[in-house]
Amino acid sequence: IQEGDAVRFLAYWDSLKVKPEIVALHSQGGSVYDALEIGRSVRNQGLNTLIPNGAICMSACPYILAGGVGRTVAEEGIVGLHQHYFDTPRYLPAYWAVETIQYGQGETLSYLSEMGIDPTLLVFALQTPPDEIYILVREELEKFNLVTDQSS
């Protein structure tokens, strides 16, 4: 999920003559901002999201998954979270970096609530360093309402 993908997603969506009902995801993550915007677009279009068998949805990708009206993670699909991080120069003042990170976390909490996801899901992200990944097990996906199809 690269910077600018939210704009590209909308342009692609608008170009489709036949609109799909499901967005299948397979991503290592990337830009949180773009993932939140894509997730909102998915919800606004009334689409469902799916992590197919063998696919991964890591880092920022679960925020797109959360945007689905219906959300399915196949039995062999993998969903993982970790701390947000920013590629910013190291010479920025610490107060600015902290303010930016806290604002981003607030935006993410708000988004999760907006999508009907238990925002305490973000605890796993906040407690997992950016160079690691926390893999959610089926019970956690269900507990936090990240899946709506419990039969997968």
Side-chain angles (χ1 to χ4, degrees):
I1 305 165
Q2 301 293 319
E3 279 188 38
D5 276 354
V7 171
R8 286 186 283 279
F9 176 83
L10 281 176
Y12 174 72
W13 179 260
D14 289 342
S15 75
L16 295 175
K17 291 186 186 342
V18 177
K19 310 284 190 195
E21 295 179 10
I22 298 174
V23 175
L25 301 165
H26 178 66
S27 172
Q28 294 179 5
S31 168
V32 172
Y33 171 80
D34 284 275
L36 297 178
E37 290 304 306
I38 292 169
R40 282 190 178 100
S41 296
V42 165
R43 179 61 62 94
N44 290 339
Q45 299 298 328
L47 301 171
N48 299 314
T49 51
L50 165 69
I51 309 302
N53 276 322
I56 61 169
C57 184
M58 306 288 188
S59 185
C61 179
Y63 304 131
I64 299 174
L65 172 65
V69 174
R71 300 174 295 278
T72 303
V73 176
E75 198 60 43
E76 294 180 25
I78 298 173
V79 179
L81 299 166
H82 65 165
Q83 293 171 358
H84 300 172
Y85 63 94
F86 301 91
D87 292 330
T88 56
R90 298 192 184 273
Y91 57 81
L92 292 174
Y95 71 86
W96 186 86
V98 170
E99 180 180 315
T100 301
I101 291 168
Q102 288 181 344
Y103 179 82
Q105 290 168 343
E107 286 290 306
T108 304
L109 283 168
S110 176
Y111 171 82
L112 291 172
S113 293
E114 176 186 335
M115 296 299 137
I117 308 301
D118 182 343
T120 57
L121 170 72
L122 198 55
V123 169
F124 295 112
L126 294 172
Q127 293 179 341
T128 305
D131 60 341
E132 297 178 18
I133 198 82
Y134 182 89
I135 303 298
L136 295 157
V137 296
R138 175 70 41 191
E139 293 78 17
E140 292 165 335
L141 293 169
E142 293 171 2
K143 174 184 174 184
F144 296 107
N145 201 33
L146 201 53
V147 294
T148 58
D149 179 3
Q150 311 293 321
S151 64
S152 296

